[in-house]
Amino acid sequence: MESIFHEKQEGSLCAQHCLNNLLQGEYFSPVELSSIAHQLDEEERMRMAEGGVTSEDYRTFLQQPSGNMDDSGFFSIQVISNALKVWGLELILFNSPEYQRLRIDPINERSFICNYKEHWFTVRKLGKQWFNLNSLLTGPELISDTYLALFLAQLQQEGYSIFVVKGDLPDCEADQLLQMIRVQQMHRPKLIGEELAQLKEQRVQKTDLEHVLEVNDGTGMLDEDEEELQRALALSRQEIDMEDEEADLRRAIQLSMQGTSRNRCQDIPQTSGSHPTSEELRKRREAYFEK
């Protein structure tokens, strides 16, 4: 895997990463792709001028931004296609009727370029195995022959446009090496964003641990302090439970007194001398709790 060239995402330069990962080297820079884009813009301007430089369509065209590139680093399919023509390579739409009629098994191709909105990435065969060289991944992702067709179908389902790269790719070290050996991948690469989030969390945890050790003067008393904290929390919970029990007991007594008074009022005609004594109330409460 170390021999495989894999440019990771920088800004919005996915078209550059896509081309370089396809060709397995630093073949194109933003400056070179911008030059191709400007050339395409000029060709489009000249075609529009044929209808008259004073026409409304021509003036509107001049006011519009370039459709081949923007300031973020995005480049169009026309730029990518023209860049590949330098190497004698051609792009054919994978799901076009013309290509589908050929009924070519994807594993018999050499490479694909995939595009969704403004993101481009390469899927390429190196040696006898297929790899997803998406610049958003932390490294190349191995794709088995049996999974390749399903992988491409899934991309199409998600809205990707897929192009077959036709022609002879330049020789590269990874292709030569992987003709002799097969790669085994135990863990799939993560998305760059996921890895950065994980690294950030690990740094935060490390910083917190270092802070705790500093507070404890590095004396190795962390375990004892933790045990004392657990004991204090346990005692605190016991005190809260006791307070809750006492509150429940007071409420029960109060309810008992109210309930007994109501029962007595219902069973015995009220007279001026019918109020129970405090001793009788005490006995009734005890009888209530013994039930």
Side-chain angles (χ1 to χ4, degrees):
M1 296 285 279
E2 295 175 355
S3 63
I4 299 175
F5 181 86
H6 180 248
E7 271 188 4
K8 296 183 180 65
Q9 189 74 19
E10 290 184 12
S12 299
L13 296 174
C14 50
Q16 171 196 312
H17 306 319
C18 173
L19 288 167
N20 288 341
N21 290 339
L22 171 69
L23 301 173
Q24 286 293 286
E26 296 179 358
Y27 286 87
F28 290 100
S29 68
V31 173
E32 291 165 332
L33 294 178
S34 296
S35 176
I36 295 174
H38 285 309
Q39 182 181 350
L40 288 170
D41 288 344
E42 182 61 19
E43 291 173 0
E44 291 175 9
R45 188 194 66 78
M46 292 176 65
R47 285 195 298 271
M48 291 297 296
E50 292 175 358
V53 294
T54 59
S55 67
E56 185 67 26
D57 288 343
Y58 183 73
R59 287 200 297 269
T60 302
F61 172 80
L62 292 179
Q63 293 173 355
Q64 292 176 344
S66 170
N68 294 300
M69 63 172 291
D70 62 28
D71 294 338
S72 71
F74 167 78
F75 295 99
S76 68
I77 180 62
Q78 289 79 11
V79 174
I80 293 175
S81 179
N82 277 33
L84 290 176
K85 284 179 182 177
V86 175
W87 294 92
L89 300 171
E90 181 186 2
L91 294 179
I92 300 176
L93 191 61
F94 177 68
N95 60 351
S96 65
E98 295 78 14
Y99 181 79
Q100 290 299 316
R101 279 198 293 268
L102 299 176
R103 297 185 179 276
I104 300 175
D105 191 324
I107 63 173
N108 293 325
E109 298 291 358
R110 293 296 302 172
S111 56
F112 301 93
I113 284 180
C114 309
N115 166 245
Y116 179 67
K117 294 185 178 179
E118 296 186 352
H119 184 60
W120 303 89
F121 71 91
T122 289
V123 177
R124 175 177 170 166
K125 194 172 191 177
L126 291 165
K128 300 175 182 179
Q129 294 173 286
W130 283 91
F131 295 89
N132 175 8
L133 302 178
N134 194 333
S135 56
L136 293 176
L137 295 174
T138 55
E141 179 184 25
L142 179 64
I143 301 175
S144 67
D145 287 355
T146 54
Y147 181 60
L148 177 64
L150 181 61
F151 178 74
L152 295 176
Q154 182 181 352
L155 289 177
Q156 286 182 299
Q157 190 72 23
E158 293 173 0
Y160 275 83
S161 297
I162 301 175
F163 301 88
V164 185
V165 181
K166 290 293 190 178
D168 295 327
L169 294 164
D171 292 334
C172 64
E173 178 187 354
D175 189 47
Q176 295 171 0
L177 182 61
L178 295 177
Q179 292 287 351
M180 299 180 289
I181 62 172
R182 291 184 67 85
V183 168
Q184 289 186 341
Q185 190 170 47
M186 302 302 295
H187 303 287
R188 292 184 179 276
K190 295 184 176 69
L191 288 170
I192 290 176
E194 292 176 349
E195 184 187 48
L196 291 174
Q198 186 176 8
L199 290 173
K200 182 178 179 180
E201 183 179 355
Q202 290 174 352
R203 284 197 297 269
V204 170
Q205 291 175 349
K206 182 180 178 182
T207 303
D208 290 344
L209 179 59
E210 290 174 347
H211 176 69
V212 172
L213 291 174
E214 287 176 4
V215 170
N216 287 276
D217 296 326
T219 57
M221 299 300 290
L222 183 60
D223 292 340
E224 293 182 8
D225 289 346
E226 188 173 348
E227 289 177 3
E228 290 180 3
L229 177 61
Q230 294 296 332
R231 284 197 294 270
L233 289 172
L235 288 173
S236 175
R237 283 196 292 269
Q238 289 177 3
E239 291 174 359
I240 292 172
D241 291 341
M242 290 176 65
E243 291 175 358
D244 290 343
E245 289 176 1
E246 290 177 0
D248 290 341
L249 179 59
R250 285 194 295 270
R251 283 194 294 271
I253 291 172
Q254 185 176 3
L255 289 171
S256 171
M257 292 174 67
Q258 292 174 354
T260 304
S261 298
R262 282 197 298 269
N263 291 339
R264 182 171 177 81
C265 289
Q266 293 171 358
D267 298 340
I268 302 174
Q270 290 188 7
T271 63
S272 59
S274 64
H275 294 291
T277 64
S278 59
E279 181 64 21
E280 289 174 336
L281 287 174
R282 183 183 66 78
K283 289 180 179 179
R284 288 173 186 171
R285 285 197 299 273
E286 291 177 353
Y288 176 83
F289 288 109
E290 287 174 358
K291 290 180 181 180

